Each structure stands twice: as C-alpha cells, then as structure tokens.
Amino acid sequence: GHGERAFKTASLAASTIVSNAQADLIHLLHQTHEALALTEGAAIGLLLIQPESGQFTYAGIGNTRVETIGNSAWRGVSTPGIVGQRMREPFLQESVLARDDLLSLSSDGIDEFDVGNVLSKHRMLGLKETARQVMTQHAAHHDDACCLLLRRAS
C-alpha cells in the first residue's frame, strides 16, 4: 500500500521490531504479525548481519527481495503472505557476505531489477546515490518502496 495508512502501519512495525530487537528473526516476525493484526498488514524482510564475519540471516514475509552479488551470488526467498493478515510460518536462510560483496534488500514497491547491471552502470556514484537512482528508476508510483544497498568493507 501507500499513503498515510501504510505509513502508520510501517511505523507500528518498525517500533515493534526496535522494541524487541534482541529476539530472533522468526519471533520478531510473529510479534510484528500480532502488532499489525488490526491494520492492512505489510511485507517485511528482516536481515541480521554479523559485521566481523559477514555471516547473515534473513527471514521475509511477502514481496520482499534480498540478494548478494560479488564473489558469490545468493538470493533469498520470502514466505508468501502479509504480516498482520495472512502470515505463513517464516523460515531462516543463512549466507555470508564476503568482503567487497554487495547486498540488496528491497520491497515490492521496487520492480525487479538486475542489481549487477544497475551497480555497474552507477558504480562511480557510490551506494547512497545508486540507491537513489534505483528509487528514481525502479520505484512504483502506486506503492511504498524501500531499497537498501550494503557493501561489506574490505
């Protein structure tokens, strides 16, 4: 969704996640599902990264996408559903973000895009400006959109 109701739903989801940040990702999704029960719900992807090792864990519900490119390519899978409405049991996925690899996490408000192609086209801009270009060129005008780009330092 988009607009004021979607903003309030996203704010409630964010505050629930922040308030329970020490919980594991599956528990966080269940807590957020309960908190959003009286809303239209949301697609949510959660990612926990261990900075020292680059090891990360992902769990997502709904139309969220996560992938890495670089030394090794990896693409996560989100469980179908809507947090707060129709949530199936989420599952954890693990991988490692190698040094200099890039991770992309985006919502369904961003159309499918080839992360590698976008990055090579905008490589000299840096991640912040590249994310801005993704939002400008790939965000749907009828939906809220989110795109996070992260590179593990060498």
Side-chain angles (χ1 to χ4, degrees), residues 2-153:
H2 65 285
E4 185 65 26
R5 282 185 16 204
F7 174 77
K8 287 180 180 178
T9 299
S11 296
L12 178 57
S15 67
T16 301
I17 292 165
V18 169
S19 297
N20 299 285
Q22 58 279 23
D24 67 78
L25 297 184
I26 300 297
H27 190 69
L28 273 175
L29 284 168
H30 283 289
Q31 287 180 305
T32 307
H33 180 65
E34 290 176 19
L36 298 185
L38 298 177
T39 72
E40 64 276 3
I44 297 177
L46 299 177
L47 186 73
L48 179 63
I49 301 173
Q50 301 301 323
E52 307 80 31
S53 65
Q55 191 168 21
F56 65 87
T57 306
Y58 172 78
I61 300 289
N63 293 329
T64 59
R65 292 182 302 277
V66 63
E67 65 183 293
T68 64
I69 63 165
N71 295 314
S72 60
W74 177 87
R75 179 175 273 197
V77 177
S78 294
T79 303
I82 301 171
V83 178
Q85 295 293 312
R86 301 173 306 278
M87 189 175 95
R88 296 181 186 175
E89 186 60 30
F91 61 97
L92 294 176
Q93 300 154 76
E94 297 179 347
S95 189
V96 176
L97 188 63
R99 298 204 180 274
D100 292 323
D101 279 2
L102 179 94
L103 183 136
S104 167
L105 175 63
S106 59
S107 70
D108 62 343
I110 303 288
D111 65 23
E112 292 279 340
F113 66 96
D114 180 345
V115 176
N117 186 39
V118 168
L119 289 175
S120 64
K121 191 185 302 185
H122 302 292
R123 182 168 297 279
M124 300 307 291
L125 297 178
L127 290 181
K128 184 177 179 179
E129 185 57 32
T130 300
R132 188 171 287 127
Q133 291 295 321
V134 168
M135 294 298 289
T136 301
Q137 297 171 11
H138 299 279
H141 299 290
H142 63 278
D143 202 354
D144 285 351
C146 175
C147 177
L148 171 106
L149 298 177
L150 173 98
R151 183 181 314 277
R152 184 166 177 228

